[in-house]
């Protein structure tokens, strides 16, 4: 068989492997997500990416009681259930990917493209679902499609996106979008362009809170030179790029999760910055701040959890 410009597919008992020149991706059945993303020998994942529904509470959220009204989304952010997995290879649905039926596959399986979809169920009341589909092509690109299914009776969302936690702190990132920290109701001062940011700055608000969002982004590349392998010397700086689909996304790239920010009342309470937390957002709530941080966000800048949300991006 001519394996040139093709993916090698490995049907493991607990994982689905997709391999090619310069990349290795492992999708887990047990963890319910992309477990390993290796590009040019460097691991880019510390945790499996999952949908994210929570942003750290802002001063304005506290003032208008939003975090209390929508608090169930924090629990949904922490605990998610993967209730379904679907695999398609070269357009054909793969039904027998679990053991012992997967023993019928050899170690010599190749394809032009492969797709794996995960369905997550939230622990909100009422519950709803999110579908995340990873479509891998022979050039190593991963096209990610994310679909949130709205549910009647659910409170407004703080944010909706995908969170990628990387093993080490990034050197910085470059993106094409609006300058500075922007939110849906704070974009007027943002100037379109390409911007480079050194390190992973956290806005020094008096109380740690949601920060670092960049709206209307075409693409962002995160650069890292450190790995978790202490025996490695002179590690080469490399980057991972996330490119928007038809709809431009918002993103934040900081060293903390929303939960870590939420748990700190002063900056010295934050843990040492060791990881990179990149959140690619399909919907972002505004920050408000109309009258001394007490009024609710204006209607146009809220996220209605009863409505569907869909967006896509590519990783390369």
């Amino acid at each position: 068989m001519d394996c040139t410009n093709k993916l090698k597919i490995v049907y493991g008992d607990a994982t689905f492997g997709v391999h090619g020149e310069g990349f290795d991706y492992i999708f887990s059945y047990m963890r319910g997500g992309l477990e390993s993303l290796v590009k040019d020998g460097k691991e880019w994942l510390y945790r499996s990416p999952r949908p994210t529904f929570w942003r750290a509470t802002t001063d304005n959220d506290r003032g208008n009681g939003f975090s209390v009204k929508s608090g169930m989304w924090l629990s949904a952010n922490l605990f998610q259930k993967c209730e379904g997995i679907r695999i398609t290879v070269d357009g054909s649905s793969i039904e027998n990917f679990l053991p012992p039926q997967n023993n019928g596959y050899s170690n010599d399986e190749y394809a032009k493209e492969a797709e794996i979809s995960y369905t997550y169920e939230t622990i909100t009341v009422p519950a709803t679902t999110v579908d995340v589909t990873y479509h891998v092509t022979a050039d190593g690109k991963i096209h990610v499609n994310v679909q949130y299914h709205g549910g009647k009776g659910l409170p407004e969302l703080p944010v909706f996106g995908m969170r990628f936690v990387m093993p080490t702190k990034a050197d910085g990132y470059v993106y094409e979008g609006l300058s500075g920290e922007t939110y849906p109701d704070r974009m007027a001062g943002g100037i379109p362009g390409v911007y480079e940011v050194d390190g992973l700055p956290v806005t020094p608000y008096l109380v740690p809170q949601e920060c670092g969002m960049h709206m209307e982004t075409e693409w962002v590349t995160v650069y890292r030179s450190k790995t978790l392998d202490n025996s490695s010397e002179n590690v080469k700086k490399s980057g991972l790029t996330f490119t928007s689909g038809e709809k431009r996304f918002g993103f934040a790239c900081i060293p903390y999760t929303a939960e870590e920010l939420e748990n700190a009342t002063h900056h010295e309470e934050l843990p040492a910055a060791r990881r990179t937390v990149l959140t690619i957002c399909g919907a972002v709530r505004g920050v408000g701040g109309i009258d001394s941080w007490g009024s609710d966000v204006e209607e146009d800048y809220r996220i209605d959890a009863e409505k569907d949300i869909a967006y896509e991006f590519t990783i390369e």
Side-chain angles (χ1 to χ4, degrees):
M1 175 184 290
D2 182 9
C3 303
T4 307
N5 297 322
K6 287 188 177 182
L7 301 167
K8 182 174 183 179
I9 307 297
V10 179
Y11 297 92
D13 287 351
T15 60
F16 177 67
V18 182
H19 311 277
E21 186 175 352
F23 62 90
D24 297 277
Y25 309 142
I26 297 177
F27 299 88
S28 173
Y29 308 146
M30 298 178 65
R31 296 188 184 277
L34 178 57
E35 186 171 41
S36 177
L37 193 165
V38 174
K39 296 277 285 188
D40 299 322
K42 178 173 286 185
E43 176 62 73
W44 282 91
L45 292 181
Y46 184 69
R47 293 284 186 267
S48 294
R50 287 291 187 94
T52 187
F53 311 99
W54 189 257
R55 71 173 192 197
T57 304
T58 66
D59 287 335
N60 195 55
D61 293 335
R62 297 185 186 96
N64 62 47
F66 172 75
S67 51
V68 175
K69 292 180 287 187
S70 292
M72 69 170 69
W73 289 116
L74 174 57
S75 297
N77 214 52
L78 288 167
F79 306 107
Q80 298 174 32
K81 175 186 177 183
C82 179
E83 65 167 16
I85 299 174
R86 299 172 302 283
I87 295 177
T88 302
V89 175
D90 281 347
S92 298
S93 178
I94 305 298
E95 304 296 336
N96 300 321
F97 58 85
L98 294 175
Q101 290 86 353
N102 64 351
N103 290 332
Y105 295 102
S106 70
N107 194 36
D108 200 30
E109 305 285 341
Y110 293 88
K112 293 181 180 179
E113 57 184 13
E115 184 174 284
I116 182 167
S117 298
Y118 296 94
T119 296
Y120 303 96
E121 183 178 78
T122 66
I123 63 169
T124 53
V125 181
T128 189
T129 58
V130 176
D131 294 319
V132 179
T133 300
Y134 299 92
H135 185 99
V136 185
T137 49
D139 56 5
K141 293 182 180 180
I142 307 175
H143 180 78
V144 186
N145 183 282
V146 188
Q147 293 189 326
Y148 164 86
H149 301 281
K152 188 172 179 58
L154 287 169
E156 293 176 9
L157 277 158
V159 71
F160 176 67
M162 289 288 292
R163 183 167 72 184
F164 296 80
V165 181
M166 300 173 183
T168 59
K169 187 179 177 182
D171 300 327
Y173 56 92
V174 179
Y175 72 96
E176 182 178 356
L178 298 179
S179 60
E181 182 178 275
T182 52
Y183 286 85
D185 52 356
R186 292 291 184 274
M187 294 199 301
I191 301 172
V194 176
Y195 299 95
E196 184 169 359
V197 178
D198 290 329
L200 300 175
V202 177
T203 309
Y205 295 119
L206 184 61
V207 177
Q209 56 191 278
E210 161 67 20
C211 64
M213 186 62 64
H214 301 280
M215 300 298 298
E216 295 294 305
T217 302
E218 294 281 356
W219 54 266
V220 57
T221 300
V222 181
Y223 290 101
R224 291 170 52 229
S225 56
K226 295 180 180 179
T227 71
L228 292 182
D229 182 359
N230 293 328
S231 66
S232 297
E233 296 181 1
N234 300 319
V235 178
K236 184 180 179 181
K237 183 178 179 180
S238 58
L240 192 67
T241 299
F242 296 73
T243 305
S244 65
E246 293 183 4
K247 176 184 175 182
R248 287 173 288 186
F249 56 67
F251 83 93
C253 191
I254 60 176
Y256 303 116
T257 64
E259 294 86 354
E260 288 171 327
L261 290 172
E262 194 73 67
N263 198 45
T265 58
H266 299 88
H267 279 265
E268 61 267 24
E269 296 175 7
L270 290 168
R274 297 181 299 163
R275 315 283 181 221
T276 301
V277 182
L278 175 70
T279 307
I280 304 293
C281 302
V284 179
R285 179 180 170 86
V287 293
I290 299 168
D291 57 355
S292 300
W293 306 100
S295 295
D296 202 349
V297 173
E298 293 185 358
E299 187 75 30
D300 291 345
Y301 308 115
R302 303 176 189 176
I303 307 174
D304 187 349
E306 296 187 348
K307 296 182 179 179
D308 295 348
I309 302 170
Y311 73 110
E312 56 190 3
F313 55 93
T314 300
I315 307 173
E316 57 183 303

